[in-house]
Each structure stands twice: as structure tokens, then as C-alpha cells.
Amino acid sequence: MPPAIELRRVRKTFGTKVAVDDFDLTIEPGTLVGFIGPNGAGKTTTIRMIMSIIFADSGDIHVLGKTSAVESKDRIGYLPEERGLYKKMKVGAFLTYIARLKGMDATGLDRKVRGWLERAGLGDCVKKKCEELSKGMQQKVQFIASVIHEPELLILDEPFSGLDPVNRKLLREMIHEQHAMGRTIIFSTHAMFEAEQLCQRVLMVNRGAKVLDDTLQDIWRKYDPKAVVVEPLTDAPDLLAPAMREIAGVHEAVVTRNAVELRLTDGADSARVMAEAARMTTVRRMELKRPNLEDIFINLVGGSAEAIRAELADLNGAAAAQEASA
Amino acid sequence: MNKMMWIAWREFCTTVFTKGFLLGVVMMPLMLVVVGGAVVWMKNFSGPRIQGTVAVIDQSGQVAPRLEERFSPDFEKKEAEELAARVQEEIKKSEAAQAAMALGGPQAQEQTKAAMEQATKAGPEISLVVLPRDADVEKEKEPVKNASIKRASEDGSKEEGENRLALIVVPPGAVRMEGGKFEQYQAFFAQRLDGEVQQKIQRRVSDSIVDARLETDERLAQAGLSPREVRELIARPWAEAKTLTPGGEKKALGELTMLIPMAFMILLMMSVMTSGSALLTTTVEEKSTRVIEVLLSAVSPMQLMTGKILGQMGVGILILVVYAGMGVGSVAYFLNRLDLVSGASLAYLGVFFLIAYFLFASMMAAIGSAVNDMREAQTLMTPVMMVMMIPWMIWFVIQRAPNSTVAVVLSFVPVTNPFVMVIRLSGSEPVPTWQIPVAIGVGLLSVVGAAWAAAKIFRIGALMYGKPPNFATLVRWVRMA
């Protein structure tokens, strides 16, 4: 079976700005890939090139074994970042129209549209005009529009932006269902925790270049910070730190807000360190620290780490604010 | 192909099945009928009658009695009756009017009768005052200066005193020839007196003077001719013109034939403009609501554009067929002159509609895809509209001289070419045969060119947001792709 998506040395410039630079990518069928990176990293441009909506300056793109998505448009579902509906069109009619454009037969289409709307909690909206729906409801309709024709490959550009936590959860479930049915899914986001929650594989881009491309498991292993976090139940962390520093295999004990972070030497036995630490105090929580994508990302991008951290904080703040207001 | 048809179908439905469109297409002809009817109906209301006197100083002594006769109530009644009889006669002769009457049923006949009664009754209420032969002209002008154009009050009560609307002075020389010529009479009218009333008074005066001349001239008596015979001799003959056609004799319609090329052009313009601007609106809507990206994930830009253009072509054809059908139908039914609209000219209308539509639609699709909202579109539309307006401005010149240099040149200039050709081909003067294929060729070439450029602009423009493009940008996009 050919890869679902294959990009070879793809490059795209807008005027003097390089949006995507020498991009290589292979996505195997059936995988769920998170495509992450800050705003302006080249995510949407890459996705649009995969969709043959815009064309690369150089390089090869293969989608579902064809040289262009144009030839397999009916087998691809696409939720664009910039999304819209016909304001005056009825929700049911819109979905039917899109499904017809995607090459679906009329037989059973009505039932299918209704089924999907029920699934998304929009059962009573079939006859409503698109403009009567709230923004979150419209987004769900758009998601349905991208999956209604049962595509083999699903490309979702920022599917979670603007959704409240309940709808985020619903959408996550629906994406999981699609994945369970064996479909290849690639979704982009600038909120990295979404990717951590959802995907098997992470693709990280910055300034048009790929900075990371691996499974989540491998990323966690590779970027294992080799640290144990100990949160004592009653004892003050700063008092415990000097003693814990002496445990074999620990080369540093850093006091954080209400815990001690034990950085381990290479080859240290983390299980033994944890057992030792547990003997010293009653623990509320103890864990082998897991790297998070945000830290990895900042680590990888290096130089301008501070700037990016600020940017990410902004983005997450904005996402949180959006959620709060939703 | 199938997808394109779906796009076309949606495009057609969203444009046609809206209240605005249905009202526009149905209401327009209905409005024309209503307004036309209202104008005819309102003509029956000449407003309240003018009341006053006409003073005459008859220095010849021959005219005043005849004038008195003409101003008598009996004469007015007789005149009105004659008019009514003539109208009835005309109606009997004219099939068209009869058809209209039949169509309206008894109600219409009743209305016509009522209108006729109204017309005969509503003349100005003017009485004649005969002043002494030697009255002072200057002094008698005074009341005219101060006259007011009063309307007769509803209850018919008369105002006190004389309201002199006019003063007529007939010198002796007006009746009796002196030195080989007649003297002119003088007429003085009050300010703001209705032109029709003035004409009516003048007509009566001049008729009376002619009567007086005929009756006082001894030569007529010597020749044994009565004034009545002389009047009959000099009455101007008038013939009802007929147009000869292979199908037989038809009533000549004069100006109506001139209107047909204009009607054709308006038809073409209206159908092209309506569907073309609907295309612009839907394209801008798709762009500004960002639906376009969803569509482009299912179809190629070329399919989308073609589908939209075909859909709106359906709208244009619908308008064309509805209006042309109504036009041809009414020409056939009311005038019984179907020969005025030849099958060939209708076929050419169809051909040039397609050329004009595809040209205009390509431009609209390109503009619609390039801009972010309607306001930006207006800026780019202005030059297009200006070119489109050229046929409007000079249709009369072209229709008058369909084979003039201007007309021929404009027939071969893209954009104006379909409109000018339709005017020329639907007119009465034949267009040289070689010009028709050449004009169609020019039209097709311009369509191909416009569609090619539009496709390139559409592909880039559809996903381009931000700074609104100007013409230079559009040209660059065409060169780029």
C-alpha cells in the first residue's frame, strides 16, 4: 500500500518569504498525525499544497498514490482553516450539496446527513439556515462536511479552534472513531496539548521547516528529561532537597513550587531512585517526569526559545480565554 | 462534469428561487403594464375645468356671430359627440383595440365608455364676451392681465364678475383681403393659461375667420360655390398607410418598427447584466464567507468557475426567454404582426446573448474571485460598466444608420460587439452578410480570451485575501500562472 501522503523536497515561497522549505514527509495509511507549530509556521500552506489548492514551487507531492490530490479529491476529507458556510442555505441542503460535490450518490444521503447531525448534537438543525447556528455549531457542521463522504484521508486544519471544552471532547471522540475505522488523519494545531491528547505521531514545523517527526512514544523516550518529581505530603520540599540530592544516580535536586525535581545521571536506575525517595518522606505524588511537546519544541528551536515561549504562552492564554468565553 | 452540473444547479437555484428575483422578473413587466395603464387612465383626468371668458373685439363685424356659435354649449356638445363617434369607429376598425376590449371584458368596455364621457364633459368652461367694435384695445387688455386661472368649484357655483382669460382682436383686413393679403388677428392670453386651452381658442377663432372669408367673398358666389363646398375641396386628404408583406397587407406601424431593435438590445442587456451581477454576488459571497476553500477541496477552480458561469447562464436564458416570449407574444396577439420579429433575429439574439454573457460573466467571475467584499468589487466594476454602457448611449445612432462606419467598427470591437450587432440585425436595414460571421468570430475570440484570463485570475484570486487587487495586479496574475 502506498503512503497516504508523500512529500519530497517541497518548497513554496510567497514573494520573498519562504513559507515551506525543502519539506519531506511520509505518512503511512491508518495513522493519526498531529501537525503542530506556531502560527505562520507553514502548516496551512503545506496542507493546501497537499490538497492541490495551491501549488508547490518545486518538489513532488503524492497523495493516496496519485501525483495530485485533484485525482483523488473524492477520497479526501478536508476541513480548511478558513471555513465558511453559505449563510442562507439550509444545513441539510449544504451537507447534501457538499456530499454530491464529493461524488456521493443520492441514495441514502438524506439519512446519512441526518445521522451525522444527530451524532453531533445538531439533530434539530437540518432545516435551519446556516447563519442561524452558533459558531461552534457551524464548526461541527463543517467537520461533518469533511467526513460525510467517508474519505480515506482526513485533513483537518485547526479543527479545535473556537470550540468549548464539551465540543472539543465530542470532536476528539469523532476523530478517534474515524481513526478506529482505519482512516488516515492529519490534523494541525498550534495548541500542542491537543496533539498530545490525540495523536500517535507528531510532526513539528517551524518557519517552514520540519523540526521533529516521530511517534509520541519515541518522542517521549528520546526527549526523556530523566527526572523524578517528588511532591511530599507535609514536609517542605526545600528541606528535603539536600537529602535527596545524595541518593545514588541523582546529580541535581531542584526545588519547584511544591515539589522536588530530581535530575538523574545517565544510566541511573529510576525505580531505585524512586524507592529511595519514598523512604525519606510521605509522598502525595511521585512520577517519572514526562517531556511535554512544548518544552521539546522550545528546546528544538533553540536560539529564539524565549520569544517562542512567550508566543506559546500567548497562544495558550488566548485558547484558554476563548474556552472561558465560549 | 457531474460536479460542475451540481455547482451550476445550485448557482441557478440560489439565484432564481429567491423572493427578490421572482419579484423582479414578474414585477417588472407587471409594473410596465400598471404604469402604462396608469398614464392612459390619468390622461382622462384633465383636472378641474378652467372657468372664464374670452373677449373679442371684432372690427370686421363678420367674425363675432360665427365665433358666438362656436362658443355655444350646443356646438361643444356636437363636437364632443362627433369625437366620441370617431373613437367608436376607430375601435371597430382596429383589431388590436377590440382585442384589448375583449380581454378586459365588460368592465373594460364600461371603463372606456366612462372615460369617453369624462373626456367630452371636461372641456374648459369658457364663454364668449363680444365687445363693441370700437372698444379700446389697451383698456380691454387690463382684465386679461389680472385674470386668475381659476378652477370651477365642485358645486358649480360661479364666481362673481368676469374672469377674462383672453382677448381676441380681429381687424377688418383679416376677413377682407387688402392689397393682395390678409391681415393677422391678434390674440392676448392670460398668464399660465394652459397651452391646450389656448390652442382651442385660437382654432375656433381661425375657423370662424375662414368661414367669414368664404361667405363674404363675391368670387365664390360668382363661381356658384358654397363655402361648404370650398371647405370640402381644400380639406387635406389622409390615407391609412399599409405595409406590404409576403403574408399580405398589414397596417403600417411606423415608429414601432424602430422600437424593436431597442427592445432587443434592452433584452440582451438586461439578461446579461442580471445574471452577470448575480454571478459576481455569489462569487464574492463564497470568497468572503470562505466557503470557497471547502468547494475547492471537492472540485478544481476551473470546474467551480465553469459551473458557476453555466448556472448563471441558465438564469440569463430564463430571463431572456420569459421577456422575449412576452414581447413576441404581445406583438403577435395585439398587433398581429409576428413578421416584425423574424426567427433569424431571435436566433441571432440567442447567439449574441451567449457571447455577451460569457464575456461579461468571465469578467465578473474574475473580479468576484479577486476581491474580499462587494465594496472592493465596485471599484473594479466601474470601468467594466462604463464600457457596457456605450451601446446604451449610442443605440439611437446605430439604429438610425445601421451600416455607418461607427456601427460597423463597434460591431468588431469586443464587449460592444454583441449589443451593436443585435441592434443592427433586428433593424430593417440589412447587414452585409460577411459581417455576421466576422462579428460572431470576434465575439467568440473575445470570449475565449476573457475566459482564459478569468480562469487564471480565479485560480489565484480565489484563495488570496488581504489587500484588494487593482488592475495591474490582475494583469500580473494572468501573466503569472
Side-chain angles (χ1 to χ4, degrees):
Chain A
M1 206 170 177
I5 297 175
E6 197 172 15
L7 270 61
R8 290 279 162 266
R9 300 186 64 81
V10 170
R11 190 182 156 87
K12 176 77 186 175
T13 55
F14 293 112
T16 54
K17 188 176 170 276
V18 181
V20 174
D21 197 8
D22 269 352
F23 209 88
D24 284 324
L25 175 68
T26 308
I27 291 174
E28 296 304 328
T31 47
L32 175 50
V33 182
F35 193 13
I36 62 181
N39 288 354
K43 298 190 298 287
T44 298
T45 307
T46 307
I47 285 175
R48 283 182 175 173
M49 284 192 292
I50 293 171
M51 286 306 298
S52 293
I53 289 173
I54 55 176
F55 295 91
D57 298 342
S58 62
D60 296 321
I61 298 176
H62 290 262
V63 181
L64 296 173
K66 303 275 173 59
T67 49
S68 148
V70 177
E71 293 165 52
S72 41
K73 272 189 166 167
D74 294 351
R75 295 156 64 201
I76 306 174
Y78 174 52
L79 175 70
E81 184 191 18
E82 304 275 12
R83 34 189 165 240
L85 300 164
Y86 287 109
K87 286 186 192 146
K88 302 281 174 201
M89 211 167 172
K90 298 212 169 83
V91 172
F94 174 75
L95 289 174
T96 312
Y97 175 57
I98 295 293
R100 296 310 305 252
L101 287 190
K102 290 281 189 182
M104 282 190 83
D105 274 350
T107 39
L109 191 54
D110 267 1
R111 219 185 46 235
K112 194 168 264 167
V113 166
R114 272 170 205 279
W116 266 106
L117 285 171
E118 298 280 349
R119 172 73 184 89
L122 298 170
D124 54 344
C125 294
V126 185
K127 296 265 178 235
K128 277 190 187 164
K129 280 184 185 168
C130 291
E131 62 184 351
E132 292 169 34
L133 303 189
S134 75
K135 218 181 148 202
M137 289 156 105
Q138 289 188 3
Q139 197 156 332
K140 286 193 281 182
V141 171
Q142 282 147 351
F143 175 78
I144 297 171
S146 66
V147 295
I148 188 131
H149 59 295
E150 296 165 1
E152 291 165 47
L153 171 63
L154 193 52
I155 299 177
L156 310 169
D157 202 351
E158 302 280 358
F160 296 103
S161 69
L163 287 182
D164 63 38
V166 177
N167 281 318
R168 269 166 196 259
K169 187 163 168 284
L170 178 68
L171 187 58
R172 231 168 13 232
E173 282 168 15
M174 291 198 285
I175 292 173
H176 267 307
E177 279 166 25
Q178 292 291 313
H179 182 221
M181 283 188 261
R183 283 162 194 167
T184 315
I185 301 170
I186 172 166
F187 75 94
S188 81
T189 180
H190 57 238
M192 308 217 181
F193 62 95
E194 295 286 1
E196 271 176 335
Q197 281 178 320
L198 201 55
C199 57
Q200 298 173 308
R201 187 173 150 200
V202 171
L203 181 68
M204 205 181 266
V205 287
N206 187 43
R207 295 185 187 164
K210 195 160 70 173
V211 291
L212 181 69
D213 177 12
D214 230 328
T215 62
L216 211 49
Q217 294 300 328
D218 279 349
I219 291 170
W220 281 329
R221 202 171 52 238
K222 215 181 282 177
Y223 294 90
D224 188 357
K226 298 195 172 62
V228 172
V229 178
V230 183
E231 190 184 328
L233 185 63
T234 46
D235 294 334
D238 49 341
L239 296 178
L240 283 172
M244 288 186 174
R245 166 76 182 81
E246 299 308 316
I247 297 170
V250 175
H251 80 92
E252 202 183 351
V254 183
V255 178
T256 56
R257 202 149 41 124
N258 44 21
V260 187
E261 190 179 319
L262 305 172
R263 308 252 162 101
L264 308 182
T265 54
D266 285 341
D269 182 351
S270 53
R272 256 192 50 213
V273 172
M274 285 170 94
E276 285 284 325
R279 265 202 296 278
M280 290 181 179
T281 179
T282 323
V283 241
R284 177 195 294 272
R285 174 176 72 102
M286 181 153 70
E287 67 180 19
L288 207 55
K289 196 183 175 192
R290 225 186 212 185
N292 69 39
L293 287 173
E294 212 167 290
D295 290 341
I296 297 167
F297 181 76
I298 290 157
N299 198 11
L300 282 171
V301 175
S304 55
E306 275 315 307
I308 289 164
R309 193 186 291 275
E311 191 182 338
L312 284 171
D314 274 358
L315 286 174
N316 289 340
Q322 216 168 31
E323 239 169 72
S325 69
Chain B
M1 195 62 203
N2 200 11
K3 290 183 178 186
M4 224 155 68
M5 285 302 133
W6 272 106
I7 293 170
W9 178 240
R10 197 207 83 91
E11 191 77 18
F12 181 81
C13 291
T14 44
T15 309
V16 170
F17 299 122
T18 59
K19 282 183 208 116
F21 184 85
L22 293 177
L23 280 181
V25 166
V26 178
M27 288 303 276
M28 263 277 274
L30 212 65
M31 284 258 288
L32 289 179
V33 171
V34 168
V35 169
V39 168
V40 172
W41 181 66
M42 280 190 303
K43 273 187 111 172
N44 293 333
F45 288 96
S46 44
R49 303 151 74 185
I50 292 167
Q51 202 177 53
T53 59
V54 174
V56 61
I57 302 174
D58 181 19
Q59 292 160 349
S60 69
Q62 303 283 336
V63 177
R66 296 179 171 86
L67 206 50
E68 263 178 326
E69 197 180 296
R70 284 201 155 78
F71 272 98
S72 73
D74 283 349
F75 183 85
E76 266 193 58
K77 211 173 145 206
K78 210 176 85 197
E79 206 179 36
E81 275 166 8
E82 267 168 23
L83 178 78
R86 249 202 337 265
V87 170
Q88 289 285 9
E89 191 73 8
E90 278 299 310
I91 287 176
K92 257 180 223 146
K93 271 197 282 185
S94 149
E95 291 165 33
Q98 251 177 348
M101 295 276 271
L103 208 67
Q107 204 189 344
Q109 288 174 13
E110 202 58 39
Q111 273 175 2
T112 318
K113 227 169 107 188
M116 235 141 52
E117 274 166 20
Q118 181 86 11
T120 52
K121 204 168 66 184
E125 203 177 292
I126 295 170
S127 51
L128 190 73
V129 175
V130 182
L131 298 174
R133 273 170 97 155
D134 54 355
D136 180 5
V137 175
E138 288 310 312
K139 210 183 98 199
E140 296 301 336
K141 278 181 188 169
E142 285 306 315
V144 181
K145 281 180 195 164
N146 301 322
S148 57
I149 309 304
K150 280 191 194 121
R151 306 285 174 185
S153 45
E154 291 292 316
D155 52 14
S157 68
K158 296 212 171 175
E159 294 261 338
E160 297 285 314
E162 189 197 351
N163 183 33
R164 191 175 290 176
L165 299 174
L167 174 68
I168 307 292
V169 181
V170 185
V175 176
R176 210 165 281 280
M177 204 181 266
E178 273 163 31
K181 61 180 183 189
F182 288 116
E183 208 176 325
Q184 297 219 311
Y185 73 91
Q186 285 174 292
F188 305 99
F189 290 109
Q191 298 182 70
R192 300 203 313 273
L193 183 63
D194 191 69
E196 266 182 56
V197 178
Q198 293 191 19
Q199 274 179 20
K200 192 169 183 174
I201 294 170
Q202 291 230 38
R203 204 166 47 238
R204 287 180 181 178
V205 172
S206 51
D207 280 353
S208 304
I209 291 174
V210 172
D211 279 354
R213 284 174 188 170
L214 293 173
E215 277 165 39
T216 50
D217 201 313
E218 298 92 18
R219 285 172 296 180
L220 284 181
Q222 281 163 15
L225 283 168
S226 73
R228 193 188 145 79
E229 281 166 325
V230 175
R231 273 193 172 277
E232 275 166 9
L233 282 174
I234 61 171
R236 234 180 247 153
W238 188 81
E240 193 191 1
K242 305 257 188 194
T243 303
L244 287 179
T245 66
E249 289 181 13
K250 306 263 170 149
K251 202 174 166 201
L253 295 166
E255 279 155 359
L256 197 71
T257 39
M258 203 182 86
L259 291 179
I260 283 174
M262 188 183 74
F264 268 66
M265 188 200 60
I266 289 176
L267 203 59
L268 182 63
M269 193 75 87
M270 196 172 64
S271 49
V272 167
M273 289 275 195
T274 310
S275 49
S277 37
L279 180 69
L280 179 74
T281 315
T282 59
T283 313
V284 171
E285 192 209 341
E286 274 158 9
K287 179 96 186 275
S288 65
T289 60
R290 321 270 164 142
V291 185
I292 202 156
E293 197 160 339
V294 179
L295 298 177
L296 289 182
S297 74
V299 297
S300 71
M302 199 57 201
Q303 280 175 313
L304 178 61
M305 192 181 100
T306 317
K308 289 175 72 65
I309 289 178
L310 290 180
Q312 293 293 352
M313 183 184 77
V315 176
I317 289 175
L318 178 73
I319 297 172
L320 197 67
V321 167
V322 167
Y323 281 81
M326 281 193 313
V328 171
S330 51
V331 166
Y333 188 80
F334 291 117
L335 305 173
N336 196 20
R337 283 295 306 275
L338 204 53
D339 57 290
L340 285 177
V341 197
S342 68
S345 62
L346 283 176
Y348 285 132
L349 179 67
V351 169
F352 285 106
F353 162 77
L354 291 179
I355 290 174
Y357 170 72
F358 280 121
L359 196 61
F360 190 57
S362 299
M363 289 192 265
M364 293 302 102
I367 291 174
S369 72
V371 298
N372 302 304
D373 54 45
M374 265 328 248
R375 215 187 31 212
E376 286 171 20
Q378 294 305 332
T379 335
L380 288 175
M381 283 285 287
T382 315
V384 175
M385 285 319 237
M386 267 156 65
V387 178
M388 294 285 286
M389 282 299 138
I390 293 175
W392 264 121
M393 293 183 281
I394 59 166
W395 76 269
F396 194 75
V397 178
I398 295 164
Q399 189 259 298
R400 265 286 158 89
N403 288 316
S404 65
T405 318
V406 183
V408 173
V409 166
L410 286 177
S411 303
F412 300 142
V413 173
V415 186
T416 60
N417 127 314
F419 299 100
V420 174
M421 280 309 279
V422 160
I423 296 173
R424 296 177 64 200
L425 286 168
S426 56
S428 42
E429 211 169 304
V431 173
T433 322
W434 65 270
Q435 289 188 6
I436 299 170
V438 172
I440 292 176
V442 168
L444 290 179
L445 277 181
S446 60
V447 165
V448 169
W452 173 79
K456 300 205 152 186
I457 293 172
F458 196 91
R459 227 168 89 154
I460 299 174
L463 293 167
M464 195 73 92
Y465 293 97
K467 191 173 151 274
N470 50 25
F471 266 102
T473 325
L474 294 186
V475 170
R476 214 181 58 234
W477 287 357
V478 171
R479 287 203 187 138
M480 237 164 79

